[in-house]
Amino acid sequence: MTEEPSETDPQTAIDSVAGNRDDRVYEYSAGDEQEGIPFVGAGPGNPRLLTVAGRELLADADLVVHAGSLVNSELLEEYCEDAETVSSIGKDLEELIPLMRDAYEAGDTVVRLHSGDPAIYGAALEQMDALEHEGVPTYIVPGVTSAFAASATMRTQLTLNEVANHVAFTRPQGKTLDEDEDHISEFVGMGDVTTCIYLGTHAVSETMDRLLEDGHDPETPVAAIYHASWPDEDVIEGTIATIGEKLEDAGYRASAMVVIGDAVGGEDYERSFLYGDWANRGSDADSQEADD
């Protein structure tokens, strides 16, 4: 009597690939067509911000496993009308992996659709490693992350000459992040960093209180962009001292991108070298060579 194979423990799959560099790293680039299940970034919300590659993959899909309400239903209706759609909300790895594996092995074209970009707080790699351990190839198709949609909505840049030289993508302490792993105060303290807080709408007041306790300027600009690029997008502007109360008054407890730093206002920046004298040095040198 043949013994039925047991379901693979996802943690075992994760541990088994530690330290092993996949040869496909040197064979494919982002955007290339590949074999397997693509992990597609749906973008921040607006269906038009889905990449061309993502749209093509969804159009050919038989099964789309998506991130529930984090993916705009309009995107699913527009690009997934011929596919079976299944929400991943409430499903653990032990349920998700067999679902995608079995469909793929049955010959279906499967797409795993994450919100934003899978590389930013997407928990994509653990699913990919578990699928790879089951013999199912996977790859990532990038998407537009919500910080970039928030920047576009605010009509500013996250980096600005002489204002913000760095960008930090981070999240606040809570159930999945210990107090000593929360570096928001350090980023803000650097002065020339635009700090983008993911997954922290519910904790904005507490986060701002900690920043004030650490001695940060209460007038530092802060914006909270709720549902960036969605039809119900809302922009709430304030400072470290005021944004917590403003956000609570608006009633938002989730789905807002919080951006801290002087780049929020897009003010007091210096003209860059890119389109100034530095940009003209090449043409001047060429002219000098011609004269010689």
Side-chain angles (χ1 to χ4, degrees):
M1 180 176 177
T2 304
E3 187 174 320
E4 290 294 323
S6 60
E7 294 291 342
T8 299
D9 172 24
Q11 187 59 53
T12 300
I14 293 169
D15 294 339
S16 70
V17 299
N20 297 323
R21 175 62 71 188
D22 196 303
D23 288 341
R24 287 169 294 181
V25 168
Y26 311 104
E27 298 172 2
Y28 297 100
S29 297
D32 287 351
E33 292 185 11
Q34 299 184 44
E35 180 185 355
I37 297 178
F39 278 62
V40 175
N46 189 319
R48 294 185 66 226
L49 295 180
L50 178 69
T51 66
V52 172
R55 184 181 64 193
E56 292 174 348
L57 289 163
L58 290 176
D60 292 337
D62 299 307
L63 172 65
V64 176
V65 180
H66 61 88
S69 60
L70 297 177
V71 174
N72 192 340
S73 60
E74 292 181 7
L75 185 151
L76 298 176
E77 293 167 3
E78 185 169 350
Y79 299 125
C80 306
E81 59 180 352
D82 295 327
E84 177 187 359
T85 57
V86 177
S87 172
S88 62
I89 301 299
K91 295 179 174 61
D92 57 21
L93 286 180
E94 287 75 8
E95 187 174 358
L96 282 173
I97 300 310
L99 169 68
M100 293 187 283
R101 178 201 64 203
D102 292 349
Y104 181 79
E105 291 181 346
D108 288 342
T109 301
V110 181
V111 172
R112 178 66 167 106
L113 188 63
H114 275 246
S115 60
D117 183 291
I120 305 294
Y121 298 117
L125 195 58
E126 61 196 57
Q127 300 170 67
M128 296 172 68
D129 285 345
L131 284 166
E132 295 277 350
H133 195 74
E134 296 280 323
V136 178
T138 62
Y139 61 101
I140 290 175
V141 177
V144 177
T145 189
S146 57
F148 298 156
S151 173
T153 287
M154 296 295 294
R155 306 181 71 84
T156 188
Q157 296 179 197
L158 298 180
T159 60
L160 278 174
N161 193 39
E162 299 298 327
V163 174
N165 295 310
H166 315 280
V167 179
F169 290 169
T170 187
R171 62 186 300 183
Q173 58 187 261
K175 291 181 180 179
T176 58
L177 198 72
D178 294 335
E179 182 177 345
D180 60 354
E181 297 172 319
D182 182 331
H183 300 296
I184 294 174
S185 185
E186 296 170 44
F187 295 139
V188 174
M190 292 178 185
D192 63 343
V193 177
T194 301
T195 304
C196 303
I197 302 177
Y198 289 73
L199 305 171
T201 313
H202 64 287
V204 169
S205 289
E206 295 90 334
T207 299
M208 298 303 135
D209 286 345
R210 287 196 296 272
L211 292 178
L212 291 173
E213 290 171 4
D214 288 345
H216 295 294
D217 184 355
E219 297 303 312
T220 301
V222 184
I225 299 86
Y226 171 77
H227 262 182
S229 86
W230 291 58
D232 60 346
E233 176 186 82
D234 193 9
V235 178
I236 300 172
E237 297 181 80
T239 63
I240 287 178
T242 65
I243 196 66
E245 184 176 353
K246 288 186 175 184
L247 202 56
E248 288 183 358
D249 289 344
Y252 301 132
R253 297 283 296 169
S255 302
M257 166 56 58
V258 179
V259 184
I260 307 173
D262 290 333
V264 167
E267 301 170 356
D268 298 327
Y269 66 92
E270 298 291 332
R271 177 177 175 173
S272 72
F273 292 109
L274 184 59
Y275 301 113
D277 292 338
W278 179 86
N280 294 325
R281 289 192 304 176
S283 59
D284 290 344
D286 291 342
S287 298
Q288 183 63 44
E289 279 188 16
D291 291 341
D292 292 343

